[in-house]
Amino acid sequence: MLLLTLLAVTSALTPTVDRTIAARSRLVAALDNAREDREIVAAIDAIEAATPFKGFASEDFVSFAVAGDWQLDYATRRDSTNLTKSYVRVRDISQTVEKDASRTRVAWTLPTTGDAGTLEVRSTMRFQAEPRPHHVLRLDGHFLKPLHKLSAEPTDVVNHVAASVPYELFHPDRTVIELLYVDPELKILRCTRGTTDPVLTCQVWRRQ
């Protein structure tokens, strides 16, 4: 019911709402069944085409809609090398969003040493509605939190974790985070170096 209410806010036209629901169902099915990237990206494109989000993205609405705990389900681009993959394994990426701040946590392990922990990226953020609804983030810091005393060099851990996740998660202050779609259980972000630059990554997050 809440999903239908939010979708109704984005458009008074029933056909548009129907197209959005159909595209969303297509995306969730593709994610749940580990489909190929092209199918997931096509579903994201269909959601964007069906959902005229721009005119309804007030700061209060966006703050309410994106607040809470999220888990990264999919990202269209990760540039980790084979060396990085052999050094560190990323188990999970989660995020907590408040009105003007976000905390992204990357859970990692080192297969060769048994070290494990999280790398937390803290940011202050502000919302801008133009030219497209997006967040501008200011990096507050990176915080390495091992579960036990590290046997590895902390700088090496941070560098390899950074190379294993989408660029904008580690460098939020260098990217523009565009809000493409949001409902009570799902949000889609498009991340670029600027509002007119080519897309770096599309991310799909599910609420925890």
Side-chain angles (χ1 to χ4, degrees):
M1 179 63 70
L2 184 54
L3 168 60
L4 294 177
T5 300
L6 283 176
L7 290 175
V9 169
T10 63
S11 177
L13 301 176
T14 299
T16 299
V17 175
D18 290 343
R19 287 196 301 271
T20 302
I21 293 174
R24 183 192 187 281
S25 298
R26 178 181 167 191
L27 173 61
V28 171
L31 293 170
D32 288 344
N33 293 288
R35 301 282 175 79
E36 295 182 1
D37 279 5
R38 59 183 177 82
E39 296 182 61
I40 296 173
V41 172
I44 292 173
D45 290 343
I47 289 176
E48 181 180 18
T51 310
F53 189 69
K54 178 178 177 180
F56 299 88
S58 69
E59 182 174 0
D60 288 342
F61 171 80
V62 170
S63 295
F64 168 78
V66 304
D69 297 320
W70 300 86
Q71 184 170 21
L72 183 65
D73 199 338
Y74 174 80
T76 55
R77 180 175 173 182
R78 296 192 185 187
D79 296 328
S80 56
T81 64
N82 289 332
L83 177 61
T84 292
K85 291 177 181 177
S86 65
Y87 183 87
V88 64
R89 291 178 184 169
V90 172
R91 304 195 318 269
D92 177 74
I93 300 176
S94 60
Q95 188 177 78
T96 298
V97 179
E98 299 171 349
K99 180 176 176 57
D100 57 0
S102 71
R103 298 191 309 277
T104 300
R105 293 170 297 277
V106 182
W108 53 267
T109 58
L110 304 185
T112 57
T113 65
D115 289 320
T118 60
L119 178 65
E120 186 170 294
V121 184
R122 299 178 189 172
S123 303
T124 303
M125 66 183 191
R126 56 186 173 85
F127 175 74
Q128 292 185 353
E130 300 294 340
R132 298 189 299 265
H134 65 281
H135 285 104
V136 177
L137 283 80
R138 185 189 69 200
L139 178 66
D140 293 333
H142 300 99
F143 301 87
L144 186 64
K145 299 181 177 182
L147 294 179
H148 307 287
K149 184 177 180 180
L150 275 177
S151 57
E153 174 61 40
T155 301
D156 290 341
V157 176
V158 172
N159 289 339
H160 280 85
V161 171
S164 300
V165 301
Y167 176 90
E168 62 278 0
L169 292 182
F170 193 79
H171 301 285
D173 53 328
R174 301 180 189 176
T175 53
V176 173
I177 313 297
E178 181 184 351
L179 182 61
L180 198 64
Y181 173 85
V182 64
D183 67 37
E185 302 299 331
L186 196 73
K187 70 174 178 178
I188 304 173
L189 306 178
R190 178 162 51 200
C191 309
T192 68
R193 296 287 180 92
T195 54
T196 60
D197 290 346
V199 174
L200 287 177
T201 310
C202 273
Q203 301 171 1
V204 181
W205 297 77
R206 297 206 211 199
R207 193 176 293 278
Q208 291 183 313

